[in-house]
Amino acid sequence: MPYDQYETVIGLEVHVQLATQSKAFCGDATAFGAPPNTHISPLSMGHPGTLPRLNQKQVEYAIKLGLALGSKINMVNAFDRKNYFYADLPKGYQITQDRKPICIGGQLKITTESGEKAIRIHHIHMEEDAGKSIHETSGPYSQIDLNRAGVPLLEVVSEPDLRSAEEVDAFMSGMRQLVRYLGVSDGNMEQGSLRCDVNVSVRPKGQQAFGERCEIKNLNSMRYARRAIRYEVKRQIDWIESGGEVRQQTLNFDPETGRTSPLRDKEDAHDYRYFPEPDLPPLVISADDLRRYHQELPALPWQLRERLAEEYDLPAYDVNLLTEEQEAALFYLELVQHTELYKAAANLMINKVLPHCNEASISLSAFPVGADQLARLLALIETGKVSNTAAYQQLFPAMLNAPDKKPLELAQSLNLIQTSDAGALESIIDQVIADNPEETTRYQKGKKNLIGFFMGEVMKASRGKADPKLTNQLLREKLAK
Ligand code: ADP
Ligand code: MG
């Protein structure tokens, strides 16, 4: 089959669960992992006579995400009812935004192996989650947990600008990073805080018109999304090549079989009968609030990436690692307030500080050693007082145990200060050469790799404190005579 003669076209509907304390339209808690049906007031249960009240935090978070993505904010927007019957939706409808969503347009730039590309955003709207149905029960019944019913979501709808599973991956990672930077969501895919519906179609390369698309529902891990996309693309091409026509459908992905399959027709035949939500007035955003949200935006991932690359001249690898989490980037920026050894500071963070936090399962804010002390450590290495190896392997761990002690004092007490005093070193080297006349002659006759032997002897004689660079240089000079 000529798979390479087709192009994949993908558009995403990303659901972001917001990190608010309470639900979208009532005061019930949103906390994940509570025992089933413990965060359910009559509002979450959809009792008649209850009235929704909008959570301002949801509005704030929607606007902040929109501003970060360069969307236009709809200063007057409105809620609608999306009606359908399902056991985990006791109200019989979801409150969403159909006609007038809060944000329009915008873009998220992604980077893949083939470079940078902007993925356009169609719109962002606010909505509420439904409850959760649990089908894996021991008896002939399902269970319903309404803790999630009414939890605030943003749905970010992309234009069909994505062309591969790799691009989807990059888009989702970028979205996860952004919502975490903004503090609007924890972006945790396993816990369902970030999920996506993937719309997939294929078209012959060079063709303008899009092919008919299928929508794969509720993928809650990137691994599943990649597998689902690859399977679905192949399925559509095979079908077209065998003379079939792709029909617009809603699909489910089964991680067990790795296949997509149509949801039952009834579930697919949606007629949501949207109508304006009568219990909520149109939402009017004030210019003051908009300005305030704008001012409150943190430095965004791409802004920090640019800063680290340009101001501190770091290579792309370091930049990406240090900006993955906002906390790390801010830690780095704090560290370089205390030192001009920008690259060494990045190395120290990447090789020691971040791995330590990872292993100890602590956040960077709980890292015991201050930026000033870390800067002093870097200076000790730079001036040759402590070798890089000794600093990383011995001094750094010692600093973790005694965060308030000056690295120089610790290095002294651990006997790590290198003899870089050229005079003292020279006499050691002279002694080593005098003690090894045979090796000296062989070296001078051309056996240049004996330099390793001499280095070893000098190290031994100096008890490991000789500065390797200087030793090497002096040895070569003296042996050449
Ligand atoms: P609706 O779900 O209301 O029909 P749209 O048709 O606007 O909404 O699109 C929903 C999602 O499907 C968007 O993410 C959009 O980018 C994507 N999409 C639309 N057409 C295609 C297509 N031919 N191939 C792949 N994705 C598409
Ligand atoms: Mg849709």
Side-chain angles (χ1 to χ4, degrees):
M1 287 289 164
Y3 295 116
D4 59 355
Q5 288 168 31
Y6 286 86
E7 182 178 45
T8 303
V9 173
I10 301 170
L12 297 176
E13 291 157 276
V14 181
H15 291 94
V16 182
Q17 184 178 312
L18 297 179
T20 56
Q21 295 291 314
S22 55
K23 292 187 180 176
F25 303 108
C26 71
D28 291 345
T30 54
F32 180 83
N37 297 311
T38 50
H39 297 316
I40 50 164
S41 66
L43 267 130
S44 289
M45 291 188 288
H47 283 192
T50 55
L51 287 172
R53 230 182 86 189
L54 180 58
N55 184 341
Q56 273 305 321
K57 272 283 168 195
Q58 180 172 19
V59 178
E60 175 186 329
Y61 287 176
I63 293 176
K64 284 183 172 170
L65 183 58
L67 289 173
L69 292 169
S71 310
K72 172 180 162 286
I73 309 300
N74 249 342
M75 299 299 272
V76 180
N77 57 91
F79 292 96
D80 299 282
R81 282 190 188 181
K82 175 180 180 176
N83 301 280
Y84 64 94
F85 171 79
Y86 205 77
D88 57 24
L89 187 74
K91 286 208 298 267
Y93 61 86
Q94 252 174 314
I95 302 180
T96 181
Q97 299 194 296
D98 183 44
R99 300 151 306 141
K100 286 185 196 153
I102 188 159
C103 307
I104 306 280
Q107 60 171 40
L108 179 65
K109 282 192 185 146
I110 58 167
T111 307
T112 60
E113 277 182 0
S114 26
E116 196 180 64
K117 173 175 172 182
I119 306 299
R120 291 168 303 152
I121 305 296
H122 183 269
H123 76 266
I124 306 173
H125 68 255
M126 297 184 279
E127 60 181 30
E128 58 176 335
D129 213 343
K132 196 167 135 195
S133 304
I134 301 150
H135 301 300
E136 310 90 47
T137 55
S138 52
Y141 51 79
S142 292
Q143 293 173 316
I144 305 290
D145 176 7
L146 293 179
N147 281 348
R148 209 180 62 187
V151 163
L153 303 177
L154 296 181
E155 182 171 329
V156 183
V157 180
S158 87
E159 295 287 357
D161 286 350
L162 298 145
R163 294 291 173 268
S164 65
E166 289 68 36
E167 290 189 1
V168 170
D169 212 339
F171 185 88
M172 290 302 286
S173 311
M175 195 55 83
R176 177 174 184 278
Q177 186 181 46
L178 180 59
V179 298
R180 288 172 61 83
Y181 264 67
L182 292 169
V184 306
S185 170
D186 63 24
N188 189 325
M189 280 193 102
E190 288 88 68
Q191 293 181 2
S193 306
L194 199 62
R195 325 190 272 271
C196 68
D197 300 343
V198 182
N199 297 272
V200 182
S201 67
V202 297
R203 62 179 171 187
K205 275 188 185 158
Q207 178 182 304
Q208 272 296 315
F210 287 137
E212 201 61 69
R213 72 188 151 103
C214 289
E215 178 176 358
I216 315 168
K217 277 282 183 202
N218 266 324
L219 293 162
N220 64 355
S221 95
M222 270 322 300
R223 206 163 59 87
Y224 290 172
R226 281 194 297 270
R227 285 171 63 203
I229 292 166
R230 295 210 172 101
Y231 176 85
E232 180 58 18
V233 166
K234 184 170 179 302
R235 185 192 71 83
Q236 289 186 15
I237 296 174
D238 287 345
W239 181 241
I240 293 168
E241 286 288 318
S242 68
E245 253 176 54
V246 176
R247 199 161 58 81
Q248 192 170 335
Q249 258 181 334
T250 308
L251 306 172
N252 192 25
F253 175 69
D254 182 353
E256 298 269 312
T257 61
R259 291 155 180 260
T260 59
S261 57
L263 290 174
R264 273 177 295 125
D265 269 357
K266 257 191 210 152
E267 281 181 58
D268 197 14
H270 282 318
D271 183 355
Y272 292 122
R273 303 250 162 180
Y274 286 100
F275 65 82
E277 166 59 57
D279 292 337
L280 286 167
L283 172 63
V284 182
I285 296 160
S286 74
D288 277 353
D289 280 348
L290 187 63
R291 208 172 306 123
R292 184 160 54 83
Y293 298 148
H294 209 293
Q295 282 163 358
E296 285 172 5
L297 285 185
L300 299 172
W302 47 89
Q303 293 166 340
L304 288 182
R305 281 200 290 270
E306 191 180 307
R307 221 177 133 191
L308 263 52
E310 309 221 319
E311 270 176 53
Y312 301 102
D313 209 24
L314 297 181
Y317 175 83
D318 297 27
V319 168
N320 287 333
L321 270 175
L322 292 175
T323 54
E324 196 160 305
E325 299 283 348
Q326 180 181 43
E327 227 190 355
L330 297 182
F331 194 100
Y332 179 78
L333 290 176
E334 159 83 14
L335 182 52
V336 291
Q337 294 301 305
H338 298 266
T339 177
E340 280 176 13
L341 302 167
Y342 303 146
K343 176 59 180 146
N347 292 348
L348 183 68
M349 276 200 66
I350 291 169
N351 296 317
K352 300 303 284 184
V353 178
L354 294 175
H356 170 79
C357 292
N358 243 336
E359 279 155 31
S361 297
I362 55 169
S363 75
L364 263 176
S365 57
F367 184 73
V369 183
D372 49 345
Q373 303 286 51
L374 291 175
R376 290 191 183 109
L377 170 70
L378 293 173
L380 288 180
I381 304 172
E382 174 67 13
T383 54
K385 289 213 167 66
V386 178
S387 76
N388 201 68
T389 317
Y392 270 36
Q393 292 181 357
Q394 297 177 61
L395 190 48
F396 182 82
M399 288 170 71
L400 292 175
N401 290 326
D404 298 326
K405 279 232 176 90
K406 287 230 170 73
L408 178 61
E409 287 161 26
L410 282 172
Q412 279 160 344
S413 65
L414 288 167
N415 214 5
L416 297 176
I417 302 295
Q418 292 190 120
T419 314
S420 68
D421 175 324
L425 189 54
E426 256 181 276
S427 58
I428 293 179
I429 291 174
D430 289 342
Q431 192 60 47
V432 166
I433 293 178
D435 289 348
N436 296 283
E438 242 174 71
E439 281 77 8
T440 305
T441 317
R442 280 167 60 211
Y443 177 90
Q444 284 165 346
K445 284 190 176 155
K447 199 130 176 55
K448 294 290 180 235
N449 61 3
L450 274 171
I451 192 77
F453 162 79
F454 285 104
M455 287 286 295
E457 290 301 302
V458 174
M459 284 298 162
K460 244 190 269 167
S462 71
R463 294 224 249 49
K465 283 183 275 168
D467 173 10
K469 236 198 233 157
L470 188 57
T471 306
N472 194 292
Q473 186 198 329
L474 286 173
L475 264 173
R476 283 177 198 279
E477 281 171 22
K478 288 181 181 288
L479 284 166
K481 282 175 192 159

